[in-house]
Amino acid sequence: MDLKNLTIKKFHEGLMGKKFSAKEAAETFFSSIKKEDEKYGAYLRLTEELALSQALSVDKKIDGGEKVGALAGVPLAVKDVILIKDEIVSGASKILSEYKAGYDATVIKNLKEENSMFLGYTNCDEFAMGASTENSGIQITKNPHDTSRVPGGSSGGSAAAVAADLTVAALGSDTGGSIREPASFCGVVGLKPTYGSVSRFGLMAMASSLDQIGCLTKTVEDAVILFQAIAGRDEFDATSEEHDWSDVMDFDAERAKGLTVGLPEEYFVEGLDAQVEKGLDEALGRFKKLGIKFKKVSLPHTSLGVSCYYIIMPAEVSSNLARLDGIRYSRIIKDDAIEALLDIYKKQKGEGFGEEVRRRIMLGTFVLSHGYYDAYYAQAQKVRRLICRDFEKAFDSGVDAMLTPVYPTPAFKIGEKASDPLEMYLGDIFTIPTSLAGLPGLSAPVKDYKVGSGELPIGFQLIGKKFREQDILGLGRLYETSS
Amino acid sequence: MILKEKDVEHLAELARIEISSAEKKKLLQDLEEILEHVKELEKVNTEGVDPVTGGTAKKNEYRGDDEDVCVSTPPKELQDAFPDKDGGHLKVPHVFD
């Protein structure tokens, strides 16, 4: 069984055509991961027992003539922040190294109902905080296209696993670019849905007003299939919404051609890497050839996005991570270090959290503290409103989606930005505004980048209106099928 | 300077994180650099702008008091998930000196 470029679509055809069984697929993937993943470090833990039982149940259904869906038996990798019942899930943090999930995240529940198969947990920046996966408390993941470079982050393990054909597709989460940036660095497709499209129940909360679960896939077509399975209203997440996603699937290419795409001038500025600029030119040229109309637009508050984000996000982080106090979820410190309750809190967090997590908790504690709240947090939330309005105005001017770069450069070297947190933060400039406004964003490769070719992948970003995933997915699909 | 070393100590106390003195210096430097950068927001005129209050535009959400919208976990499993226990009791050290 050939795992190369194996998509959800091809997997389904192979499974239905009896070219392989789900059990064979599981075994092939696990043997490939065990052999190949030493080079990349994409996986943290494999869930072999679970996968095998899922595979056997799919095979039984097919043998019994039962009808199964497009995701049946499909091997998926899961970012280490999404709960699968009875499996260890650690947020790539030492602090939860032995934490076993007590329930399934809603996305996992949905995918179990689709009879998908979970291969294991992938590496990420600790509690999804980072843009390179270097902040993982467990290991570093390398970019399959160049192992001296980062895969991006924070969903770096998921992106690397998809790029290296060590899974068919993966789940990730995106708070300020954590699906889109690694997708761009690794040459795969990454979808961050609209805030509210996908339930966050069972996702370890980082910044609750920004977090979204999404997917990393080999094609836009696969992203559509996976998105449909995980999207929808969930009673366990009051911010989730029901929408009619039926035309996501039946996307009419002719309708895509009728869309007008905005080019925000603030995203095409000096300082863009020459390779990124060239990649974006290529994408733009191909879209134009397809008949897509483009229009210049302006999003004047774009440059303030990073500052806005690095106040709001740490504020939410400091609140959300307070629960990991050594009393409830886990305790990693030795008993003899404990005299009073306060010792547990301090030592647990001091020893368990990595540098970046501690930095963000401290920053968040500061911006929420007495006397500083209005100057930092309240002002940031007002600027966030201005950023939202920028998008509303641009969309109101007759634009259906926007085309932008994902990241100012291709994948950078491991260690290159590790010592300078601010420099790392500034890289998020093109993905953050979308998150602050709660809009959907799709990162898709400019062309087909083969692992081993030596070429570094470049992605483009399509930003859509709220709950209009079908527009950006449709444009992405049109682009993908035109090559 | 926005922060001093003793502010970092105070923040660590508030956040309940134990930090070493070497880390205190590094944290001070990092936080200072970040706060200097985000100061650019001060200059933005936000008069009359209502702040965003979350990721969603939805107002109050209520859900029915139904059995099917709660996660039911057996007490034993919940106890097992707790780091320190004694029989059916959950253990924590004393709160007051």
Side-chain angles (χ1 to χ4, degrees):
Chain A
M1 150 175 210
D2 186 11
L3 305 188
K4 217 161 175 49
N5 303 322
L6 186 63
T7 61
I8 295 176
K9 195 83 201 255
K10 283 192 225 163
F11 183 93
H12 184 66
E13 285 163 10
L15 188 67
M16 291 298 111
K18 308 256 178 201
K19 291 205 178 98
F20 50 80
S21 67
K23 181 169 174 276
E24 276 159 12
E27 286 163 354
T28 312
F29 268 99
F30 285 123
S31 93
S32 176
I33 293 167
K34 282 171 194 166
K35 213 168 70 202
E36 300 287 322
D37 196 38
E38 249 174 46
K39 286 184 279 185
Y40 312 123
Y43 282 92
L44 293 176
R45 262 163 269 113
L46 300 179
T47 49
E48 283 184 84
E49 230 172 275
L50 171 67
L52 214 58
S53 75
Q54 289 172 319
L56 290 174
S57 130
V58 169
D59 287 338
K60 208 172 141 196
K61 280 188 176 146
I62 294 173
D63 289 345
E66 212 175 304
K67 202 169 153 24
V68 295
L71 280 162
V74 171
L76 298 174
V78 181
K79 185 179 179 179
D80 200 28
V81 290
I82 300 170
L83 273 50
I84 303 177
K85 188 171 164 51
D86 297 332
E87 299 293 336
I88 287 180
V89 48
S90 77
S93 177
K94 287 198 190 90
I95 211 164
L96 288 182
S97 50
E98 285 166 29
Y99 173 69
K100 219 177 240 183
Y103 60 94
D104 279 328
T106 298
V107 292
I108 296 297
K109 184 182 136 271
N110 291 348
L111 289 166
K112 279 184 174 174
E113 280 163 14
E114 296 283 338
N115 301 298
S116 297
M117 172 165 84
F118 301 115
L119 295 175
Y121 275 116
T122 49
N123 196 23
C124 56
D125 290 293
E126 187 175 3
F127 292 115
M129 297 183 206
S132 66
T133 311
E134 291 166 293
N135 296 335
S136 165
I138 303 171
Q139 66 193 37
I140 282 187
T141 297
K142 294 164 182 169
N143 191 319
H145 290 272
D146 177 349
T147 50
S148 71
R149 292 176 191 269
V150 302
S154 62
S155 312
S158 287
V162 174
D165 290 312
L166 298 180
T167 183
V168 170
L171 290 177
S173 68
D174 188 315
T175 306
S178 282
I179 286 175
R180 292 161 285 160
E181 184 242 19
S184 175
F185 281 10
C186 291
V188 303
V189 172
L191 173 70
K192 181 211 96 84
T194 309
Y195 186 85
S197 281
V198 177
S199 168
R200 289 177 291 114
F201 183 70
L203 167 70
M204 289 183 192
M206 172 190 161
S208 309
S209 81
L210 299 154
D211 296 341
Q212 266 295 283
I213 294 175
C215 43
L216 293 115
T217 54
K218 294 176 192 176
T219 60
V220 177
E221 186 177 39
D222 280 2
V224 170
I225 299 171
L226 205 45
F227 171 69
Q228 279 205 320
I230 60 173
R233 165 75 183 170
D234 174 25
E235 289 302 315
F236 295 125
D237 176 1
T239 61
S240 64
E241 293 185 34
E242 193 59 60
H243 282 265
D244 180 13
W245 299 117
S246 54
D247 65 336
V248 172
M249 205 59 175
D250 312 318
F251 194 87
D252 178 1
E254 285 311 305
R255 196 173 69 79
K257 285 180 184 169
L259 298 178
T260 303
V261 177
L263 294 169
E265 54 177 316
E266 292 79 5
Y267 284 67
F268 296 88
V269 285
E270 269 178 58
L272 211 54
D273 183 277
Q275 281 168 273
V276 174
E277 209 168 328
K278 200 168 147 259
L280 262 288
D281 276 348
E282 188 178 333
L284 184 61
R286 243 167 80 184
F287 272 121
K288 281 185 174 162
K289 241 195 220 162
L290 289 165
I292 305 295
K293 287 185 289 297
F294 283 89
K295 187 181 161 181
K296 283 216 167 88
V297 292
S298 173
L299 301 168
H301 296 93
T302 298
S303 70
L304 299 171
V306 172
S307 288
C308 193
Y309 179 81
Y310 279 95
I311 291 174
I312 294 167
M313 174 275 295
E316 297 187 25
V317 163
S318 73
S319 162
N320 273 328
L321 270 70
R323 75 189 65 176
L324 299 168
D325 56 7
I327 301 294
R328 285 165 286 180
Y329 299 87
S330 67
R331 187 168 311 157
I332 55 163
I333 46 171
K334 300 262 180 311
D335 281 352
D336 54 10
I338 304 167
E339 282 182 20
L341 190 62
L342 195 60
D343 292 334
I344 299 185
Y345 297 159
K346 286 185 170 178
K347 289 188 197 304
Q348 171 89 1
K349 292 179 183 187
E351 286 172 32
F353 286 140
E355 197 185 347
E356 178 63 19
V357 173
R358 289 205 293 262
R359 190 156 42 225
R360 292 192 190 192
I361 291 175
M362 295 282 281
L363 190 57
T365 306
F366 173 72
V367 300
L368 292 178
S369 62
H370 181 71
Y372 296 101
Y373 180 92
D374 284 331
Y376 289 95
Y377 186 74
Q379 177 70 353
Q381 291 286 31
K382 288 178 187 170
V383 175
R384 183 179 184 180
R385 175 75 65 200
L386 297 175
I387 291 170
C388 295
R389 282 189 196 158
D390 280 356
F391 281 109
E392 285 160 22
K393 276 185 209 158
F395 284 129
D396 282 349
S397 75
V399 161
D400 301 289
M402 292 179 212
L403 177 73
T404 77
V406 179
Y407 199 81
T409 65
F412 46 87
K413 293 266 187 191
I414 292 170
E416 194 180 320
K417 297 186 180 188
S419 63
D420 188 348
L422 183 61
E423 201 197 332
M424 188 77 94
Y425 296 171
L426 290 172
D428 303 341
I429 181 163
F430 300 139
T431 47
I432 277 176
T434 324
S435 296
L436 288 170
L439 304 172
L442 177 76
S443 171
V446 167
K447 58 180 187 181
D448 189 12
Y449 297 94
K450 299 233 180 317
V451 171
S453 73
E455 199 176 1
L456 289 178
I458 306 288
F460 60 82
Q461 176 175 233
L462 287 165
I463 304 169
K465 292 178 183 174
K466 269 190 186 173
F467 300 107
R468 290 295 306 173
E469 272 80 348
Q470 45 267 64
D471 295 337
I472 53 175
L473 287 168
L475 285 163
R477 179 75 186 135
L478 190 68
Y479 186 89
E480 167 175 286
T481 46
S482 73
S483 57
Chain B
M1 289 288 279
I2 298 168
L3 291 174
K4 294 190 192 67
E5 222 171 282
K6 70 169 187 19
D7 296 321
V8 175
E9 281 167 23
H10 177 59
L11 288 174
E13 193 64 31
L14 287 176
R16 304 283 189 255
I17 296 181
E18 192 172 81
I19 51 169
S20 67
S21 54
E23 198 194 349
K24 212 187 302 170
K25 289 198 171 58
K26 171 84 166 76
L27 261 171
L28 178 65
Q29 194 191 327
D30 288 345
L31 295 180
E32 193 66 27
E33 197 191 2
I34 296 161
L35 291 171
E36 274 301 328
H37 182 83
V38 304
K39 250 168 83 177
E40 64 176 343
L41 298 189
E42 271 175 20
K43 292 181 226 119
V44 185
N45 181 3
T46 53
E47 217 184 297
V49 178
D50 37 306
V52 172
T53 51
T56 181
K58 294 170 94 176
K59 298 289 181 218
N60 288 339
E61 277 280 313
Y62 302 100
R63 83 177 173 214
D65 188 16
D66 304 325
E67 211 182 315
D68 60 338
V69 286
C70 64
V71 180
S72 174
T73 311
K76 174 81 174 60
E77 276 187 36
L78 287 173
Q79 284 161 14
D80 286 347
F82 199 78
D84 198 4
K85 60 219 155 242
D86 189 355
H89 301 282
L90 308 177
K91 266 174 79 180
V92 291
H94 58 90
V95 179
F96 301 108
D97 285 325

